[in-house]
Amino acid sequence: LNLTLAARNDHFGARHFIKEELPRIRYANPELNVKVNKVPRSVGDKWKAEMLLEFKNGSKKTVDVSEKWSTAIFEELMDSAGGDRWRTFKAERRAAGNDPVIPDVKPRPAQPTPPPPTTPKEGIAAALP
């Protein structure tokens, strides 16, 4: 598992994945080789964070982890590499009515929601700054 992301100020889902999910993955799979590459990035650079999965059979899969929540990254990783135990777990969760399988898997909104309109101040509050 090779994860490449910006060293600072970007790729927040991948950064949170490293902090919250990766220690659990490493604990459950002590033989797993994990490399995290934090690359310096200048102001004008536009590139996406990615996770490269290399399987024992020699096949590789690249997963785009930009603009994703850490839980969405985790679920995509498990869908790719989790095997039969993960598929069984997902089927059991869905059969029990627990969907989504991983709580808080939400797509990141394309545009931030605008703030609610402000109402004009009335009375003495209108004179205050």
Side-chain angles (χ1 to χ4, degrees):
L1 182 120
N2 294 321
L3 186 61
T4 304
L5 67 149
R8 351 167 67 184
N9 299 334
D10 204 3
H11 307 140
F12 299 107
R15 197 176 305 283
H16 192 265
F17 174 81
I18 290 169
K19 181 181 174 188
E20 295 295 323
E21 311 297 342
L22 201 53
R24 292 183 210 146
I25 293 169
R26 282 185 170 165
Y27 180 80
N29 303 284
E31 72 286 347
L32 182 66
N33 186 16
V34 177
K35 294 178 186 172
V36 176
N37 303 315
K38 293 185 179 181
V39 180
R41 181 177 162 175
S42 64
V43 176
D45 288 346
K46 293 289 181 190
W47 52 275
K48 297 184 178 216
E50 66 180 20
M51 180 170 47
L52 176 65
L53 306 174
E54 297 179 30
F55 299 98
K56 287 182 180 180
N57 65 5
S59 64
K60 295 181 181 182
K61 180 179 180 182
T62 302
V63 178
D64 178 18
V65 295
S66 298
E67 305 289 326
K68 291 184 181 175
W69 287 43
S70 62
T71 51
I73 296 168
F74 175 74
E75 187 163 10
E76 193 165 349
L77 169 66
M78 293 302 293
D79 286 342
S80 299
D84 294 332
R85 292 177 66 191
W86 173 249
R87 285 187 279 282
T88 303
F89 172 76
K90 280 179 68 171
E92 289 171 357
R93 292 268 305 173
R94 288 204 169 111
N98 296 327
D99 206 30
V101 175
I102 305 296
D104 296 323
V105 175
K106 302 174 191 170
R108 188 173 179 185
Q111 297 292 329
T113 55
T118 59
T119 56
K121 296 179 181 177
E122 296 179 4
I124 192 76
L128 299 173

